[in-house]
Amino acid sequence: MTPKERRDLQKLDDLVLNASPEKLTKIQEVDHQTQMDGLSFYDVYLDSSSLINQGIKKSFRKS
């Protein structure tokens, strides 16, 4: 794993570990949907070119 991948994984870990109950519910919903689509939540969240990722980030900012 590269240093950048480690930093990115740490950001995602921090997001989940520090999430409010409401945000954690949203994270769980997105994680479930990505699994149903055969994708990795980690990859979707960190892929800045992904439209899904932009939707995830927007939904977290609204809360």
Side-chain angles (χ1 to χ4, degrees):
M1 184 179 290
T2 68
K4 180 182 180 333
E5 289 171 327
R6 288 178 201 269
R7 285 190 306 273
D8 290 343
L9 186 56
Q10 183 63 50
K11 286 179 190 178
L12 184 56
D13 286 347
D14 291 343
L15 174 75
V16 171
L17 292 172
N18 297 317
S20 67
E22 295 82 14
K23 285 187 180 182
L24 189 55
T25 298
K26 289 181 182 182
I27 292 168
Q28 289 172 323
E29 290 170 6
V30 172
D31 182 37
H32 181 258
Q33 186 59 49
T34 58
Q35 288 179 40
M36 296 299 290
D37 291 340
L39 302 169
S40 160
F41 178 73
Y42 172 82
D43 290 336
V44 171
Y45 182 78
L46 296 175
D47 180 5
S48 63
S49 65
S50 170
L51 294 176
I52 297 169
N53 184 25
Q54 296 306 316
I56 293 169
K57 288 182 180 179
K58 286 179 186 176
S59 72
F60 289 138
R61 284 189 217 133
K62 290 180 184 177
S63 298

